[in-house]
Amino acid sequence: MNITVEASYVVPEQHQAGIVHIGLGAFHRAHQAVYIENTLAKFGGDWALVSANIRSNVTLVEQLNNADNVFHVVEYADQNTATVREIRAMKEALFAGDTAGRQALLQRLVDTHTKIVTMTVTEKGYFLSPATGTLQRDHADIQHDLEHLDSPKTIIGLLVQGLRLRRDAGLEPFTVLCCDNMPHNGKRVQKAVVSFAKAFDVELAEWIEQQVAFPSSMVDRIVPAMTDADFAAIKQDTDIDSPTVVKCEQFSQWVVEDNFPQGRPQWEACGVQMVEDVSAYEMMKLRMLNGSHSLLAYLGPLAGYETVAEALSDASIEQFLRLYMMQEVAPTLPSFDQQELEDYCSALIQRFKNDSLKHRLQQIAMDGSQKLPQRWLQGWCDLSQQGMACQAIELGLAGWMLYVMQHQKAQTSINDPLEKTLFEAVSQSEYTAEKVASLLAITDIFPAPLTNMALCKRISGLVTQLQQSPLQSTLNSLSS
Ligand code: NAI
Ligand code: CS2
């Protein structure tokens, strides 16, 4: 193993924390924290991080605190080459899942040094209808926050209360930067925050609409959840024996709309693409990369594959992904020319083949209801309007339905906030078109144009085919 070690030049004491991040998971450590580290090392400034978890993973916060919030990121180019980075940009790590922690986080949100609040709380963390992006005001956690805004549990409640406290103290608002894999993520969060605020205080909602910037961003770096085997492999490869280490691929991309009224780090000098409008990048990434990932997640296991790289070792799967990307996604991306899309597709296939990542398909399969609208279904609608076929997406839907039905039968969890609704929809009959229709009728996931009987029959035929024939023969039978 050829290891390069990049030492940190950041001294946390020299920097105030200008950014509060919510959602201290693997991705934040391996993506945003690395960009912040590089920016601080190059330009200095008061842009250090305060990073918090508001739901799960108090243990990680404790482990970080025990290590003075210093951690390592191991970037694997391939099986033989890796770079280790030490990250010191996190001045503070907080757990804000209890009353005291929430108050501590609110204090950071209202601190005069805080200029930007970033977040990666997963798609489900925003409590939105996946299909429309509308805030689920009836959700118990949102209701809790509407009734107890002084101690909010959700990201939406925290943002509203943080902004309210700033307004009441006569402070400028912070800029809100969503870094989750959602379409128009800034606009979605803005809509949810304003909708919540309206239910609480109309004047506050107006102030937020007028004063607060919500730039959208596209984030990309494959950062698989760590397993015991990963910790052991990293120890062997790098000598780092730490519960806070995280691994990822070498590739990293961050495209951000340049709308930061209270200032921002000089990200453009550290590899971040600052643009006027992120929509085209985001659509390409969500449909090509994440759409392919979800196809692999629901179809790969049918051929016995457990990781992305294992699935890509199968030539019929690689060919299928190329067909999906170039025939079913490319025509929906008018902002890019054919060559750019072919290059992007080939680069993704190479990234997926990085077998040092051991990116588990089971991880990608979770929260399907929150992911499929932006990954497959919006593209499906665009293609259908052009009168074009969607063989790969329909097969993916059949794979996802089979996955839901098999878990419902076995009574094992699919780790999806809509699990109960999905299980109820498939609990009645055998694998028939009616059962498919009852899934397609869930309007929180599926847009109205998908609910037609011809489609249901086609998908139920595919479900049967996936059960009865080897995956490869089904993939090979798709016309290119
Ligand atoms: P992770 O499992 O390591 O961390 C998940 C984070 O979300 C934790 O901080 C957890 O506390 C928080 N969370 C989960 N449910 C929540 C809820 N209901 N309310 C508030 N917080 C909640 O996952 P990871 O890898 O950090 O990914 C998080 C998100 O980052 C993804 O869902 C995606 O949107 C984005 N992302 C991840 C990439 C990856 O490769 N891991 C790449 C690109 C984007
Ligand atoms: C994956 C993404 O877990 C998933 O659903 O598709 O987290 C993917 O790894 C990232 O978006 C890559 O940037």
Side-chain angles (χ1 to χ4, degrees), residues 27 31 123 180-181 218-224 249 251 253 285-286 289-294 297-298 308 344 348 351-352 359-367 371 375:
F27 182 62
H31 186 264
E123 299 88 340
D180 272 299
N181 277 329
M218 181 276 249
V219 290
D220 190 9
R221 173 168 251 190
I222 296 172
V223 188
E249 62 177 337
F251 178 91
Q253 189 177 16
K285 191 256 174 172
L286 286 170
L289 188 160
N290 298 111
S292 297
H293 260 176
S294 292
Y298 302 117
V308 171
Y344 190 72
L348 287 181
R351 290 170 61 193
F352 293 160
H359 193 189
R360 284 168 308 125
L361 297 174
Q362 202 183 20
Q363 181 189 354
I364 302 169
M366 65 187 273
D367 292 341
K371 296 175 174 174
R375 294 180 180 205

Side-chain angles (χ1 to χ4, degrees), residues 204-244:
L204 175 65
E206 279 169 9
W207 183 80
I208 293 175
E209 265 182 313
Q210 287 160 11
Q211 303 291 329
V212 185
F214 290 82
S216 290
S217 78
M218 181 276 249
V219 290
D220 190 9
R221 173 168 251 190
I222 296 172
V223 188
M226 293 287 291
T227 62
D228 289 346
D230 292 325
F231 285 113
I234 286 179
K235 183 165 181 266
Q236 197 183 345
D237 292 346
T238 69
D239 268 351
I240 293 170
D241 185 9
S242 160
T244 60

Side-chain angles (χ1 to χ4, degrees), residues 241-256:
D241 185 9
S242 160
T244 60
V245 67
V246 68
K247 69 164 185 184
C248 59
E249 62 177 337
Q250 197 172 52
F251 178 91
S252 187
Q253 189 177 16
W254 197 8
V255 190
V256 181

